[in-house]
Amino acid sequence: MKVTVSLIKADIGGWPGHSTVHPALKERAKELLEKAKKKETIIDYYVTGCGDDLQLLMTHTKGEDSEVIHKLAWDVFYDATKIAKELKLYGAGQDLLKDAFSGNLKGMGPGFAEMEIEERKSEPIIAFMMDKTEPGAFNLPLFRTFADPFNTAGLVIDPSMHNGFVFEVWDIMKHKKVELKTPEKLYDLLALIGAKSRYVIKRIYPAPGSKNDGKGPAAVVSTEKLYQIAGEYVGKDDPVALVRAQSGFPALGEVLEPWAFPHLVSGWMRGSHNGPIMPVAERNAKPTRFDGPPRVMALGFQLAEGKLIGPVDLFDDPAFDETRRKAAEIAEYMRRHGPFEPHRLPMEEMEYTTLPDVMKKLRRKFKKL
Ligand code: 13P
Ligand code: 13P
Ligand code: MG
Ligand code: MG
């Protein structure tokens, strides 16, 4: 059976500041998606929040980029924004950059990761959601899961994965894409995705001829760049991703393993700082310190004819306590730099923040040397 999994998110108002999603917004989203389920527009859904981003996970049979599904998500965000405005939540409607829906969510503000797949005999799927960072934050952990044999034992010992994977990488500045197959193009891939603010992993496919070839992607990441759409800073592009596991794909534990390392990502306070990503339980996806540190949560499901059997809150596990402690320690270390790089982002990346307005005034005061 062909199923499409759509994870669509938007920040339509924070409670308080940029920290969480108010329960009333989630309730409204659930009501509307329950209606859509009764009408059989969607098969199933799960609503949650990650930081200040409202998350709609849906399954259906309408394929990727479906106007019906995108409009449904847009209508949910639009409707819930009315509540956000009543409650005067912070930045109510922040990610709804256009006044009316026009066919597709692309360029409209909300972020989305979608995959149409052939549902296998057993289909474990993990929904990753992040707050206070950007799509490139997925580069390192996804590389490790799908291409690093020191992370993923299956790349070495499982014949169904031994041929590797194909990475679709987007240049989000030039709007171009390239496909690179690992392990052959491993170094080329790293040359690109190490520059995580520009080159981002969009999709990962099983290698041609391997067990899951033709059954859809193994992973997909949302890559919307809000500032390019809005022309000004309107919050970071807090990303989401969907990853499939087992039986020709990495085992669940191989998908989770890279997150034991709290790597540095950009975002955090005012979308302007580097800091560690902290893997947390759903209930702890609540940035506080300096509006952070950036968070990631992972919800596991089994698909059954499109039904979402779950979630299992995968980072709600003492096995990740040390990672969280390490992330807190790194956060402390980074914070001591105050406004200095590399805690604060380099000048080029500050271009889309409020810093240029300060620079404009300063520039007039400069004298020739
Ligand atoms: P089980 O023997 O518990 O099914 O686990 C198999 C496996 O591959 C774990 O990574
Ligand atoms: P969000 O992108 O999550 O809205 O955060 C914006 C911000 O400025 C945090 O300090
Ligand atoms: Mg916000
Ligand atoms: Mg956010």
Side-chain angles (χ1 to χ4, degrees):
M1 173 191 182
K2 264 204 189 315
V3 181
T4 308
V5 187
S6 297
L7 177 52
I8 308 185
K9 45 88 27 185
D11 177 347
I12 53 164
W15 177 59
H18 287 285
S19 62
T20 72
V21 176
H22 191 282
L25 307 188
K26 287 187 259 189
E27 280 317 308
R28 187 71 191 126
K30 280 181 207 164
E31 274 167 39
L32 294 171
L33 292 188
E34 185 62 34
K35 263 191 209 162
K37 184 177 170 177
K38 288 217 170 89
K39 276 204 239 157
E40 297 184 1
T41 309
I42 54 176
I43 302 171
D44 207 357
Y45 68 91
Y46 183 72
V47 171
T48 187
C50 181
D52 58 0
D53 293 274
L54 177 60
Q55 306 275 347
L56 314 177
L57 179 64
M58 296 172 283
T59 52
H60 55 92
T61 52
K62 300 188 179 344
E64 294 169 23
D65 282 322
S66 152
E67 184 168 345
V68 176
I69 299 301
H70 282 209
K71 183 164 190 313
L72 172 62
W74 176 267
D75 288 345
V76 170
F77 293 138
Y78 200 85
D79 206 87
T81 294
K82 289 182 204 154
I83 302 173
K85 286 185 174 158
E86 275 166 33
L87 301 176
K88 292 180 72 176
L89 299 180
Y90 195 72
Q94 176 180 289
D95 286 357
L96 303 186
L97 303 179
K98 301 281 159 74
D99 295 328
F101 182 75
S102 59
N104 193 289
L105 283 179
K106 226 167 268 170
M108 303 200 67
F112 52 95
E114 296 186 289
M115 46 163 76
E116 184 177 47
I117 61 173
E118 184 63 44
E119 188 180 295
R120 297 169 297 160
K121 199 171 85 191
S122 180
E123 189 65 69
I125 188 159
I126 303 109
F128 287 98
M129 301 159 195
M130 289 181 175
D131 191 39
K132 303 296 177 272
T133 184
E134 59 175 5
F138 276 108
N139 281 6
L140 187 153
L142 286 182
F143 171 83
R144 285 221 169 124
T145 287
F146 287 94
D148 178 1
F150 278 72
N151 178 88
T152 298
L155 292 168
V156 180
I157 67 173
D158 180 352
S160 70
M161 278 172 64
H162 205 74
N163 286 334
F165 290 89
V166 177
F167 287 71
E168 180 185 319
V169 176
W170 283 16
D171 175 345
I172 48 179
M173 304 274 173
K174 290 263 160 79
H175 300 279
K176 290 183 167 180
K177 64 175 181 179
V178 64
E179 287 192 352
L180 294 166
K181 185 187 169 298
T182 55
E184 294 86 341
K185 298 291 179 194
L186 199 79
Y187 301 156
D188 288 343
L189 177 64
L190 287 170
L192 294 178
I193 65 172
K196 62 184 172 34
S197 63
R198 173 157 180 186
Y199 299 99
V200 300
I201 297 170
K202 177 66 188 178
R203 291 187 187 83
I204 301 169
Y205 294 96
S210 61
K211 182 176 177 179
N212 290 327
D213 187 13
K215 294 181 187 165
V220 61
V221 181
S222 67
T223 48
E224 285 63 38
K225 270 278 182 192
L226 285 184
Y227 67 72
Q228 290 188 332
I229 303 164
E232 59 177 356
Y233 181 71
V234 286
K236 260 290 190 225
D237 327 286
D238 303 319
V240 292
L242 296 168
V243 181
R244 296 159 79 193
Q246 304 292 151
S247 211
F249 292 134
L252 176 68
E254 291 167 340
V255 175
L256 299 178
E257 174 63 10
W259 303 92
F261 171 61
H263 65 292
L264 293 174
V265 300
S266 59
W268 206 348
M269 174 57 74
R270 297 170 186 270
S272 309
H273 295 78
N274 285 310
I277 186 108
M278 184 185 268
V280 291
E282 199 175 15
R283 66 177 177 283
N284 288 328
K286 181 175 62 180
T288 52
R289 184 175 181 188
F290 202 52
D291 281 1
R295 311 283 159 126
V296 59
M297 55 193 246
L299 302 180
F301 298 86
Q302 286 289 146
L303 285 188
E305 308 304 319
K307 283 230 156 58
L308 289 159
I309 311 303
V312 175
D313 191 350
L314 294 164
F315 290 144
D316 186 12
D317 178 351
F320 285 94
D321 282 352
E322 281 312 308
T323 309
R324 290 186 271 265
R325 232 188 306 274
K326 177 68 92 187
E329 185 189 328
I330 297 166
E332 172 63 20
Y333 173 82
M334 295 301 280
R335 278 305 300 129
R336 296 283 73 84
H337 294 79
F340 283 77
E341 297 176 10
H343 180 28
R344 198 180 72 186
L345 298 187
M347 236 28 184
E348 318 86 75
E349 288 191 48
M350 295 297 288
E351 209 179 303
Y352 299 99
T353 69
T354 43
L355 185 65
D357 293 335
V358 176
M359 294 304 286
K360 233 183 266 166
K361 277 193 208 156
L362 255 177
R363 216 162 278 132
R364 277 186 249 123
K365 302 202 159 111
F366 272 80
K367 294 195 177 92
K368 265 216 166 91
L369 284 178

